[in-house]
């Protein structure tokens, strides 16, 4: 099972027989009319230069957390305190961070608020979407209880009233209790779906139905552990199946309560993820398997494929810039978008001597130009 680095946005029992594999690759023209998403995660613990971000049409501020003290080395095995959603740089209630006090210097968190508002203003001026990324590897392992859903949703709606175009759920420990606590495991595998259903209803009730709701699991979100897609079994198999089954059954909007699913297709050697893989990085047949596994649950237009172009966590291997360009060109007519971790990541790739951020921004510009 991958153990992603704290800086990676990494993201349940599954039911039913595996869906039959389509005989041909779908195209976006068959059922999707909309802008191709080019999304980039922004690490809030590093500086960023908006002059590097022209290629993106969506930027995700990373991270908001349930934990007031997110721990990248040892995420805490706790549940949300119910008090606040925390902005992870200030470790304060994000509603307090974003409070436009009069005068602003009376806000003790204004040093970070200025950075956030600057990024929001940049997005507004350039036609981009600013989305709050919520979770991350460092966040609480037990996320929230079912009876905390409404309180959490109230705070998310209050936040979006202050600013931002949506929320991205990047809760990465939903399957951690698989072998230790069956009841907790079953509850965690669907809790994201419960939050999404309630959040969508609340946003619509507030006239904010255009706010983005995205969900970020690993690439195997719609795999079953029987290897139907050539996949090797991993603990997190089928997380997306459980989430989407819940959302489809309980939301009046069905699967459309979720705008996009961002797939973390990195942080693991492809030979660990797919039984017959011969290279350490993912290739066309693996991307096809991910797409095909998703189609019984979401429209192809919701698929946003993830890239981390450089050194990766756990055993992940990068195929190089040209490989990613070729992959993006292949995916461009088929799916809803691509995303990159991360626009300002400073790890340097020995393959081309550039940082992950520089590689991400170059590939985003390439994707935008296709």
């Amino acid at each position: 099972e991958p153990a992603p680095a704290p800086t990676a946005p990494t993201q349940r029992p599954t039911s039913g027989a595996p869906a039959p594999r389509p005989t041909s690759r779908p195209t976006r023209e068959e059922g999707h009319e909309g802008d191709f998403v080019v999304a980039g995660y922004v690490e809030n613990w590093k500086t960023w230069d908006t002059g590097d971000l022209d290629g993106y049409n969506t930027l995700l501020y990373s991270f908001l957390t349930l934990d007031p003290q997110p721990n990248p080395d040892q995420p805490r095995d706790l549940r949300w305190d119910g008090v606040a959603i925390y902005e992870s740089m200030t470790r304060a209630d994000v509603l307090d961070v974003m409070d436009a006090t009069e005068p602003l210097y009376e806000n003790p968190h204004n040093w970070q608020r200025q950075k956030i508002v600057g990024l929001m203003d940049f997005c507004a001026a350039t036609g981009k979407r600013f989305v709050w990324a919520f979770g991350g590897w460092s966040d609480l392992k037990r996320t929230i209880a079912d009876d905390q859903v409404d309180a959490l949703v109230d705070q998310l709606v209050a936040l979006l009233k202050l600013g931002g175009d949506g929320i991205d759920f990047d809760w990465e420990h939903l399957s951690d209790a698989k072998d230790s606590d069956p009841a907790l495991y079953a509850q965690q595998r669907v809790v994201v779906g419960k939050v999404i259903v309630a959040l969508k209803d609340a946003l619509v009730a507030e006239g904010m139905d255009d706010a983005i709701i995205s969900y970020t699991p690993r690439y195997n979100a719609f795999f079953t552990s029987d290897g139907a897609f050539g996949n090797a079994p991993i603990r997190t198999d089928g997380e997306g199946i459980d989430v989407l089954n819940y959302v489809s059954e309980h939301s009046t909007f069905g699967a459309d309560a979720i705008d996009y699913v961002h797939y973390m297709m990195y942080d693991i050697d492809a030979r660990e993820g797919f039984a017959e893989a011969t290279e350490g990085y993912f290739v066309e047949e693996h991307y096809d398997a991910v797409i095909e596994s998703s189609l019984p649950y979401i429209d192809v237009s919701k698929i946003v494929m993830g890239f981390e172009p450089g050194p990766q966590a756990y055993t992940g291997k990068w195929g190089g810039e040209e490989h990613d360009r070729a992959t993006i060109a292949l995916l461009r007519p088929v799916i809803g978008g691509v995303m990159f971790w991360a626009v300002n990541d400073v790890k340097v790739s020995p393959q081309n001597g550039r940082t992950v951020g520089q590689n991400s921004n170059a590939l985003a510009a390439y994707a935008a130009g296709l």
Side-chain angles (χ1 to χ4, degrees):
E1 174 65 17
T7 57
T10 43
Q11 331 145 293
R12 311 175 186 302
T14 58
S15 58
R21 299 188 65 166
T23 56
S24 61
R25 172 184 298 192
T27 64
R28 293 172 73 232
E29 288 73 15
E30 290 173 356
H32 178 51
E33 296 178 5
D35 294 333
F36 187 77
V37 173
V38 182
Y41 286 81
V42 181
E43 297 175 349
N44 68 350
W45 58 95
K46 299 292 185 184
T47 59
W48 59 81
D49 183 348
T50 56
D52 297 332
L53 308 180
D54 289 345
Y56 302 97
N57 54 32
T58 304
L59 293 171
L60 298 105
Y61 179 85
S62 312
F63 286 106
L64 305 181
T65 59
L66 296 164
D67 193 344
Q69 301 178 41
N71 189 332
D73 299 316
Q74 189 172 1
R76 298 200 292 173
D77 190 20
L78 298 174
R79 183 163 275 160
W80 184 43
D81 59 17
V83 174
I85 296 169
Y86 300 95
E87 193 283 319
S88 57
M89 273 297 289
T90 58
R91 302 195 170 190
D93 184 340
V94 68
L95 298 179
D96 291 340
V97 174
M98 297 305 296
D99 185 16
T101 57
E102 293 282 352
L104 284 172
Y105 64 72
E106 290 189 356
N107 181 343
H109 314 295
N110 194 52
W111 58 276
Q112 188 67 14
R113 181 184 180 277
Q114 288 178 315
K115 299 175 188 176
I116 297 170
V117 171
L119 189 60
M120 286 180 168
D121 289 346
F122 167 71
C123 288
T126 55
K128 305 181 195 301
R129 291 175 289 203
F130 176 102
V131 174
W132 300 96
F134 185 12
W137 175 256
S138 304
D139 209 359
L140 298 177
K141 289 187 175 184
R142 296 182 179 232
T143 68
I144 68 170
D146 290 353
D147 62 6
Q148 294 178 308
V149 168
D150 290 343
L152 183 70
V153 166
D154 287 346
Q155 294 191 34
L156 290 172
V157 172
L159 174 61
L160 289 174
K161 287 181 177 180
L162 293 177
D165 299 304
I167 303 290
D168 174 54
F169 290 93
D170 178 24
W171 293 6
E172 304 185 14
H173 300 285
L174 302 177
S175 295
D176 279 21
K178 180 177 182 179
D179 301 320
S180 59
D181 189 332
L184 176 62
Y185 172 70
Q187 186 267 340
Q188 288 289 285
R189 291 275 291 205
V190 296
V191 72
V192 173
K194 292 180 179 182
V195 175
I196 288 171
V197 170
L199 177 59
K200 182 66 175 179
D201 286 345
L203 291 170
V204 171
E206 293 287 341
M208 303 166 67
D209 46 306
D210 58 345
I212 295 293
I213 298 176
S214 58
Y215 160 55
T216 300
R218 295 175 177 86
Y219 70 94
N220 59 322
F222 298 98
F223 285 172
T224 49
S225 294
D226 58 4
F229 291 91
N231 55 296
I234 295 176
R235 180 173 55 185
T236 52
D237 285 342
E239 283 187 0
I241 296 175
D242 289 348
V243 169
L244 264 295
N245 279 346
Y246 185 91
V247 172
S248 297
E249 181 178 349
H250 292 88
S251 175
T252 56
F253 302 93
D256 286 336
I258 298 175
D259 293 286
Y260 300 106
V261 177
H262 294 187
Y263 295 73
M264 292 178 284
M265 198 146 179
Y266 43 76
D267 289 345
I268 186 173
D269 189 306
R271 291 164 292 194
E272 295 178 47
F274 290 90
E276 297 184 5
T278 58
E279 301 287 349
Y281 51 85
F282 296 112
V283 297
E284 179 180 355
E285 66 184 274
H286 305 142
Y287 290 96
D288 284 348
V290 170
I291 294 168
E292 292 167 6
S293 71
S294 307
L295 296 181
Y297 306 97
I298 58 171
D299 188 82
V300 70
S301 65
K302 296 182 184 295
I303 297 175
V304 176
M305 199 67 72
F307 296 83
E308 185 175 6
Q312 300 176 11
Y314 190 54
T315 58
K317 301 289 191 298
W318 184 39
E321 183 176 2
E322 290 308 310
H323 177 71
D324 278 4
R325 284 176 179 259
T327 301
I328 291 167
L330 197 68
L331 295 173
R332 177 63 176 82
V334 179
I335 63 174
V338 292
M339 66 88 162
F340 299 91
W341 182 269
V343 308
N344 56 337
D345 193 301
V346 298
K347 296 190 299 291
V348 176
S349 170
Q351 290 168 261
N352 64 1
R354 299 193 305 200
T355 67
V356 172
Q358 290 171 324
N359 289 328
S360 294
N361 301 339
L363 289 165
Y366 172 75
L370 289 174

